[in-house]
Amino acid sequence: MKKYDVIIIGAGIIGCMIARFLSRYKLDTLLIEKEADVCMGATAANTAIIHAGYDPVPGSLKAEMNVKGNKMWDTLAGELNIPFERRGDYVVAIGEEELPKLEELMKQGIQNGVPGLVLLSGDEVRRREPNINPKVSGALWASTGGIADPFAAAVAAAENAVMNGVTIMFETVFQDFIMDGNKIVGIKTNRGDFASRWVINAAGLYSDEVMHKAGVRPEFRITPRKGEYYVFDRAEITINNVLFPVPTPVTKGILVTTTIHGNTIIGPNAKDIQDKEDRSVTREGLEEVWNGALKLVPKLELKHVIAVFAGLRAGGNAPSPNPNIKYNHDYVIEIPSNVKGFVNLGGIESPGLVSSPAIATRVIELLKDVGEKLEEKKDWDPIRPARPRFRDLSKEEQRILVQNDPRYGRIVCRCESVTEGEIVAEIHAPVPAKTYDAIKRRTWLGTGRCQGGFDTPRVVEILARELGVPPTQITKKGPGSEFLKRRTKDVA
Amino acid sequence: MSEIETKIICITCPVGCSLVVTHEDQKVIKVEGNQCRKGIDYAQNELRDPRRMVTTTVKVKRGLHPLVPVYTSAPIPKPLIFELIKKLRGVELEAPVKVGQAILKDFLGTGVDVLAARDLPQVGQKTSETGSG
Amino acid sequence: MSLDRVKPIYDVVVIGSGPGGLGAAIAAKKNGADDVLIIERDNELGGILVQCIHNGFGVEIFKEDLPGPLYAHRFIQEANSLGVEVLSDTMVLDITPLRKITAVGKRAGFVELEARAIVLAMGCRERTRAQIRIPGTRPAGIYTAGTAQRFVNVEGYMPGNRFVILGSGDIGMIMARRLTLEGAKVERVLEIMPFLTGLTRNYVQCLLDYNIPLQLRHTVSRILGNYRVEAVEAVEVDENWNPIPGTEEIIPCDTLLLSVGLIPENELSRKAGVILDPITGGPVVDESMQTSVSGIFAAGNVVHVYDLVDWVTEAGFLAGKSAAKFAVEMKKGLSRKVKLVAGANVRYIVPQYLDSESLAESDQRIQLRVVRPIEEKVWVEVTDGEHLITRKLERYVRPGEIVTIKIPKKAYDEVQKTDKLIVRVAKS
């Protein structure tokens, strides 16, 4: 049985970030993931906001992780080359009656230690965001908020971890713990058993099931909460900023926001569901999102929508570790006392993306606190180099790129100008992209107006060629999602 | 003898009249619903000897593409369509293929040939289709 | 011929080699364009016709019923024999309103060139599942009909075994037949309208012939399956396209084919500053197929979606002819400018050039400044180097004061014969 120092279950943003920060130390680390690629759970479908931190309940672990994490993003994005912009978030009040809520939020933000909070007049909001509802009465501008690419963040963190010695195994499903008394000594998976001194639960939607297998927190439950989104054609509508409505107790509300890719997206709503694999978009959900978004930007038009999708949040029911506050949906980040060798995380929903580096740092602190010797690698390299994006380059840079490697001269995704060179680079990257969706997440191919209509046959061909398999084995998102059934003339 | 009414749609022109054809076996007694004479001719042909143009593809070895499109030189009897498709499925040509090249001649005595609908060069070579010659 | 090196400037550049582009290139050559270049993103000519292996093409132009590739072949041959140049496997990235083109290709590398006239013939793209917002999951197995057609007819792969087709347009029906002939099962064709949206001929020859059921007033209300399509939920709709509760039916299948509309592909047109018609989705054009940008023409499905390819070819012919005429005019225009040359004691003249045709309309006034002042009467003379065309007596000339002189209409014939006019100041 292969022996590790640490096994991390789950390669979403949290698992990848923990792997990356842990890779600094002399620990033999394995990251396992049940799907065919990183970030296919909640990390794949969210609003991609680096929250400022005024929203979480003061005193909660969420608030602490949010504010700490927010401060880390400039360095993180720089080291890992994650597309990131600190543009500021806006909570927009429509009508005079919503203004008091802004002051409440500002107070809350100050309590949470959020810097740079400013109240703006309706006129100023209109100036910054011409498409805003003319009835805007004011906004809270959280200038430390931002937008980032969550896929790039997970991929970059995972790649940096791999570059620094971490092993990643995909299509590897956690089945059970191997216990020695009350000590975890390993895990069982569909790919065999692995021994380990530590196991870290970063299983997102399934974090409850994982911790229950260790006898930890039997009352803890993850309720999948679905949020649906629309994506707009960037040529048809421009929103400059991240716009929140005034929030309700359950959800931050339906945003209208720009993304780091330049598209405008609206969403999410919040609907508790049962099935942890149900990422379907629904008529009712889409309607709710649409009506909600019109409150902020009445000018939105359905005919400019180019995509719709849904994501699931891992909503937990854990009471806050802070005994002084009454809050029952806080993060679980702990080393439980009743089980040895286990770092337990649960309920990492929004603000999960912004908190991820702070959570990773907290995990390391927890390990140090219980006496784990963390010896730094002398040759640890925190930098994950960026790969060229054809469409982001100047003409001269494009010319040189094509000259050096003609594959960058073949445009495969016409709508987003993604080249064969970029696709091949991702297929052979440290965390290789082996499915269509993996390439889509990394290059943004197939996300434009034609939604893959033009590029799909070409991507299938390139994947088959580079991976050395027949095109019938190329999948959209892992086994069971093959694009092609057989060759045209091979009739049974 | 028994008279049957069969409904067919005439496709001679874009109007697409819905015809009701009263017939005894293949002998047409009455045609209703047609807006012109052509409908009567169509009904008679459809009843007696319905024919269709068939277009499909045929496998090619070492060509620019693995398949070349082919077509029948004239419509073939409808009941023979699947037989033709089956026969063509077993054919594998060698590139280059020339437009008009006969893949099959006089299929099942119908007098109809199956022809290549385009030039298909060998992989790596050029023809007019790839912008050369 | 296929190029590895392009010229810096062409009379006419055609973007796209489908029926519109081929027609334009041929007509441009036949109407006076000296050089015509087609830029095609695929590695062969023909555009969408390469994958349209069914017949129905050429009924008007050739009075024959041809399969798509054969129809294309005829025009490809003609373009070749006329000497149309081709840059294939190359994607145009940008066009400016001044008709500068940037393109990139694996073989061609990074290409920049200029065109005296451009014909946009990029065709159209297909409406997607997301644009009609079909609820449900996002598994593999959802294809637009055109993408499926490419796989089946060109790449040589079947995207599925059991199909449901949404949309009774021609592409959907033709694919229903195609898939059936290649051994797949087409379970149902669903059409949201209360009528067939494609040709009746296709209904008979693609659906009725193969016993494929068509349901009007029906649509897909949900897609099921996480990794691969497992079924679709079909539902009947009312006049407002709202689902009628209780009419839901789960149809097991592994592929959903969408034939729900074509959208003219005008990203490049936008870059060139071409004004688009919000209803057609294509450029606003005049009777010569010129867009709102001078020298940029458009033809085919990029302008609006046609029913018959023969009319696309005709539109191509028109646009190509207009583009050629524009290019020819432009070239002629430059060589019919007469240069005004500063002669003795003249520092500069404005305008620097006269269009020789301008004298057909009216006298032409020119302005000049002298080098040295002369405080006595002088002649300001315009000659063609040999003959005096016109002159004017000035009481004095000073550098600080602009001198004007009129070249009269009646000098038209003499000016036609020269390529320069010299203006000088001579003592009286």
Side-chain angles (χ1 to χ4, degrees):
Chain A
M1 203 183 353
K2 183 90 172 71
K3 195 168 193 316
Y4 290 93
D5 293 310
V6 181
I7 295 179
I8 305 168
I9 303 173
I13 187 67
I14 302 300
C16 290
M17 208 54 81
I18 293 175
R20 187 269 180 163
F21 278 79
L22 269 185
S23 72
R24 184 190 197 130
Y25 304 101
K26 289 183 181 165
L27 294 165
D28 221 342
T29 306
L30 169 68
L31 172 60
I32 67 165
E33 166 56 51
K34 71 175 173 27
E35 301 289 348
D37 189 23
V38 298
C39 74
M40 283 178 65
T43 314
N46 54 75
T47 329
I49 311 270
I50 303 302
H51 294 287
Y54 52 79
D55 186 74
V57 171
S60 65
L61 189 49
K62 270 186 190 171
E64 187 191 347
M65 293 290 100
N66 189 156
V67 176
K68 279 206 168 109
N70 181 294
K71 296 192 170 103
M72 297 173 77
W73 265 84
D74 299 289
T75 307
L76 186 73
E79 288 175 344
L80 297 181
N81 277 291
I82 303 168
F84 164 63
E85 254 186 59
R86 217 181 261 287
R87 210 177 274 209
D89 309 340
Y90 294 72
V91 181
V92 178
I94 306 290
E96 299 289 319
E97 63 280 7
E98 289 200 330
L99 283 175
K101 197 73 170 93
L102 294 184
E103 303 205 13
E104 253 181 68
L105 275 178
M106 184 157 173
K107 275 208 196 80
Q108 190 167 279
I110 293 169
Q111 243 190 307
N112 284 341
V114 178
L117 292 168
V118 181
L119 285 173
L120 301 177
S121 67
D123 282 339
E124 180 59 20
V125 181
R126 269 186 289 269
R127 192 187 68 82
R128 295 186 187 196
E129 194 64 74
N131 285 319
I132 197 81
N133 186 337
K135 295 208 189 97
V136 57
S137 54
L140 172 64
W141 180 40
S143 56
T144 57
I147 51 177
D149 181 339
F151 319 111
V155 170
E159 284 190 3
N160 193 228
V162 166
M163 282 161 54
N164 285 300
V166 172
T167 309
I168 303 187
M169 283 179 61
F170 292 111
E171 291 170 40
T172 306
V173 183
F174 166 81
Q175 289 168 337
D176 208 344
F177 289 103
I178 303 171
M179 310 282 295
D180 179 9
N182 75 334
K183 187 160 90 144
I184 290 176
V185 294
I187 61 169
K188 284 173 159 7
T189 76
N190 63 331
R191 303 267 209 129
D193 299 348
F194 302 92
S196 185
R197 295 191 297 107
W198 286 99
V199 177
I200 303 182
N201 177 11
L205 285 161
Y206 293 90
S207 56
D208 55 351
E209 296 174 42
V210 170
M211 68 178 81
H212 293 167
K213 286 231 165 15
V216 171
R217 292 190 182 245
E219 73 293 341
F220 180 79
R221 247 193 80 217
I222 294 285
T223 304
R225 208 157 70 251
K226 185 187 288 192
E228 304 187 36
Y229 296 85
Y230 292 76
V231 183
F232 290 82
D233 188 340
R234 72 167 84 83
E236 299 289 355
I237 177 159
T238 309
I239 294 290
N240 297 322
N241 298 293
V242 180
L243 307 170
F244 289 87
V246 162
T248 77
V250 179
T251 165
K252 288 189 182 63
I254 292 165
L255 287 82
V256 178
T257 177
T258 182
T259 67
I260 200 78
H261 299 109
N263 297 98
T264 297
I265 68 174
I266 63 175
N269 61 331
K271 180 132 201 291
D272 285 351
I273 62 167
Q274 304 279 47
D275 182 355
K276 290 178 177 177
E277 295 297 328
D278 175 11
R279 287 184 184 85
S280 59
V281 287
T282 65
R283 191 181 307 279
E284 304 75 31
L286 287 179
E287 213 177 295
E288 191 186 340
V289 169
W290 188 260
N291 293 327
L294 288 180
K295 180 186 181 207
L296 291 178
V297 180
K299 280 190 188 171
L300 296 171
E301 283 184 80
L302 271 176
K303 67 179 189 206
H304 298 149
V305 173
I306 55 171
V308 288
F309 66 95
L312 296 177
R313 309 163 180 85
N317 62 347
S320 177
N322 182 345
N324 299 322
I325 60 167
K326 251 191 162 53
Y327 178 52
N328 284 317
H329 299 283
D330 210 347
Y331 286 166
V332 172
I333 306 172
E334 64 181 8
I335 291 182
S337 48
N338 58 329
V339 172
K340 288 212 180 345
F342 189 42
V343 180
N344 190 26
L345 293 98
I348 315 293
E349 48 174 344
S350 179
L353 180 62
V354 57
S355 303
S356 57
I359 293 176
T361 311
R362 172 57 52 93
V363 165
I364 289 171
E365 283 165 15
L366 290 175
L367 287 169
K368 281 189 181 147
D369 284 347
V370 296
E372 180 65 30
K373 276 232 159 33
L374 296 175
E375 207 189 319
E376 286 188 25
K377 289 178 183 156
K378 287 207 177 54
D379 57 351
W380 184 65
D381 188 357
I383 309 291
R384 195 250 0 185
R387 290 187 278 277
R389 296 257 165 276
F390 184 85
R391 70 179 173 286
D392 293 338
L393 302 177
S394 68
K395 260 196 192 170
E396 199 44 48
E397 290 169 321
Q398 286 174 339
R399 184 199 304 276
I400 296 172
L401 187 65
V402 173
Q403 229 171 324
N404 290 334
D405 185 345
R407 288 176 299 187
Y408 285 95
R410 184 164 168 241
I411 304 270
V412 171
C413 169
R414 168 207 55 217
C415 304
E416 299 291 322
S417 300
V418 179
T419 64
E420 181 178 336
E422 292 162 72
I423 297 169
V424 171
E426 297 303 331
I427 296 173
H428 298 292
V431 178
K434 295 188 179 169
T435 64
Y436 180 89
D437 278 1
I439 294 179
K440 179 176 176 178
R441 276 188 284 275
R442 288 156 173 73
T443 63
W444 218 233
L445 138 176
T447 62
R449 288 172 200 93
C450 82
Q451 290 285 300
F454 176 68
D455 62 66
T456 301
R458 289 153 183 83
V459 176
V460 168
E461 183 197 19
I462 295 170
L463 271 169
R465 182 188 76 208
E466 295 294 319
L467 296 176
V469 299
T472 43
Q473 278 184 35
I474 301 301
T475 69
K476 184 176 191 288
K477 44 173 143 171
S481 67
E482 288 76 12
F483 281 105
L484 306 169
K485 291 289 184 185
R486 59 172 168 87
R487 289 195 300 186
T488 307
K489 300 298 175 184
D490 291 345
V491 179
Chain B
M1 296 248 73
S2 54
E3 276 185 10
I4 314 171
E5 271 187 6
T6 302
K7 287 206 186 109
I8 56 174
I9 301 178
C10 175
I11 58 170
T12 311
C13 85
V15 176
C17 298
S18 289
L19 310 175
V20 177
V21 186
T22 313
H23 62 107
E24 231 180 82
D25 284 334
Q26 293 185 344
K27 178 161 179 279
V28 173
I29 298 168
K30 187 167 63 169
V31 176
E32 290 164 292
N34 56 311
Q35 288 185 28
C36 79
R37 258 222 70 87
K38 292 192 189 160
I40 301 177
D41 297 332
Y42 180 81
Q44 279 173 335
N45 285 328
E46 264 304 281
L47 238 42
R48 208 181 313 128
D49 178 25
R51 293 195 166 225
R52 300 284 185 263
M53 292 284 284
V54 176
T55 55
T56 182
T57 54
V58 163
K59 284 193 288 199
V60 179
K61 273 205 283 231
R62 284 181 278 277
L64 176 67
H65 299 302
L67 302 170
V68 69
V70 300
Y71 65 106
T72 51
S73 57
I76 66 163
K78 200 169 141 191
L80 296 180
I81 293 177
F82 273 102
E83 182 119 14
L84 176 62
I85 294 291
K86 194 162 161 218
K87 179 131 183 131
L88 289 173
R89 194 171 288 134
V91 172
E92 190 164 17
L93 304 173
E94 188 82 45
V97 177
K98 284 244 137 283
V99 66
Q101 181 176 322
I103 316 295
L104 266 186
K105 276 190 138 74
D106 191 17
F107 174 63
L108 286 188
T110 57
V112 177
D113 303 333
V114 176
L115 310 170
R118 58 166 287 173
D119 283 341
L120 190 75
Q122 272 182 4
V123 179
Q125 296 202 323
K126 295 185 176 184
T127 62
S128 52
E129 254 84 343
T130 60
S132 171
Chain C
M1 57 234 127
S2 192
L3 297 181
D4 288 314
R5 185 157 279 125
V6 284
K7 302 202 276 261
I9 183 162
Y10 282 84
D11 275 353
V12 177
V13 172
V14 177
I15 303 181
S17 71
L22 286 170
I26 288 167
K29 256 310 185 145
K30 284 182 172 168
N31 281 279
D34 283 331
D35 41 28
V36 176
L37 174 71
I38 292 178
I39 306 183
E40 165 56 54
R41 71 183 176 195
D42 212 334
N43 58 359
E44 57 184 339
L45 301 174
I48 203 68
L49 292 174
V50 171
Q51 62 186 66
C52 294
I53 67 156
H54 50 280
N55 56 316
F57 303 89
V59 176
E60 298 292 333
I61 291 194
F62 298 118
K63 304 289 184 247
E64 297 174 63
D65 187 6
L66 306 173
L70 184 53
Y71 180 89
H73 178 83
R74 302 230 173 132
F75 296 104
I76 294 170
Q77 290 291 81
E78 192 174 357
N80 273 313
S81 62
L82 288 170
V84 170
E85 298 172 48
V86 173
L87 197 59
S88 60
D89 217 1
T90 304
M91 179 87 73
V92 175
L93 294 174
D94 191 30
I95 308 175
T96 71
L98 292 180
R99 299 181 303 278
K100 289 195 166 34
I101 299 170
T102 310
V104 74
K106 211 164 170 179
R107 271 181 310 116
F110 199 83
V111 173
E112 286 176 287
L113 56 104
E114 209 181 313
R116 295 195 174 92
I118 295 178
V119 179
L120 304 169
M122 295 86 72
C124 54
R125 64 177 187 274
E126 301 179 271
R127 186 164 277 115
T128 65
R129 175 266 176 105
Q131 282 175 288
I132 56 176
R133 295 175 299 282
I134 303 179
T137 51
R138 302 198 303 163
I142 303 170
Y143 292 98
T144 51
T147 306
Q149 190 181 51
R150 172 98 193 172
F151 271 124
V152 174
N153 293 343
V154 178
E155 316 282 332
Y157 288 93
M158 292 293 278
N161 292 322
R162 273 177 98 181
F163 291 76
V164 168
I165 300 180
L166 179 59
S168 68
D170 291 317
I171 309 175
M173 292 198 283
I174 282 171
M175 279 312 287
R177 173 178 64 189
R178 190 85 202 95
L179 294 165
T180 307
L181 287 179
E182 296 295 4
K185 180 93 175 54
V186 178
E187 300 285 351
R188 208 77 58 90
V189 176
L190 304 168
E191 168 56 57
I192 202 169
M193 298 299 241
F195 48 81
L196 196 76
T197 56
L199 300 173
T200 310
R201 158 204 175 114
N202 285 327
Y203 173 59
V204 171
Q205 297 192 332
C206 300
L207 300 189
L208 286 182
D209 275 4
Y210 298 92
N211 294 316
I212 298 171
L214 166 70
Q215 283 180 295
L216 299 176
R217 285 195 197 277
H218 275 71
T219 189
V220 173
S221 50
R222 209 161 39 110
I223 298 173
L224 294 93
N226 276 331
Y227 290 88
R228 176 84 202 194
V229 171
E230 287 166 25
V232 299
E233 180 184 82
V235 77
E236 194 180 333
V237 298
D238 63 23
E239 325 73 65
N240 298 316
W241 287 10
N242 291 320
I244 299 173
T247 64
E248 296 86 3
E249 180 195 350
I250 303 282
I251 308 175
C253 60
D254 61 23
T255 315
L256 173 64
L257 218 66
L258 299 169
S259 171
V260 292
L262 298 175
I263 303 167
E265 186 57 84
N266 279 285
E267 288 169 54
L268 281 179
S269 316
R270 273 188 229 246
K271 290 197 169 154
V274 167
I275 294 176
L276 299 181
D277 178 336
I279 299 182
T280 60
V284 173
V285 292
D286 68 12
E287 78 291 346
S288 72
M289 290 301 175
Q290 180 159 215
T291 68
S292 60
V293 175
S294 187
I296 299 185
F297 300 79
N301 279 353
V302 76
V303 177
H304 73 121
V305 180
Y306 286 78
D307 312 315
L308 207 56
V309 82
D310 300 58
W311 304 144
V312 172
T313 301
E314 295 272 333
F317 287 156
L318 176 56
K321 179 171 171 183
S322 311
K325 282 172 76 168
F326 185 94
V328 165
E329 273 305 303
M330 184 182 271
K331 282 200 301 199
K332 248 200 256 180
L334 282 174
S335 62
R336 272 166 67 233
K337 296 244 187 285
V338 177
K339 192 169 166 134
L340 291 162
V341 179
N345 200 21
V346 172
R347 195 170 133 234
Y348 69 73
I349 309 168
V350 173
Q352 292 87 341
Y353 284 92
L354 262 191
D355 191 315
S356 53
E357 282 306 303
S358 58
L359 290 171
E361 309 245 326
S362 58
D363 303 335
Q364 292 299 323
R365 208 189 223 97
I366 61 173
Q367 299 174 321
L368 59 103
R369 284 193 193 272
V370 296
V371 180
R372 292 174 313 278
I374 302 177
E375 297 295 337
E376 47 185 81
K377 287 206 192 112
V378 291
W379 286 110
V380 180
E381 295 179 335
V382 180
T383 80
D384 66 356
E386 282 180 45
H387 314 106
L388 184 68
I389 306 280
T390 187
R391 66 180 184 173
K392 178 185 180 192
L393 192 64
E394 290 280 351
R395 287 196 296 142
Y396 61 82
V397 286
R398 294 169 188 155
E401 292 174 30
I402 288 181
V403 177
T404 61
I405 180 166
K406 200 171 57 182
I407 302 180
K409 269 179 76 167
K410 64 182 201 287
Y412 177 87
D413 289 329
E414 288 165 287
V415 172
Q416 285 296 315
K417 297 186 208 142
T418 182
D419 62 1
K420 65 178 187 297
L421 292 171
I422 304 167
V423 185
R424 65 183 182 209
V425 174
K427 285 232 173 79
S428 148

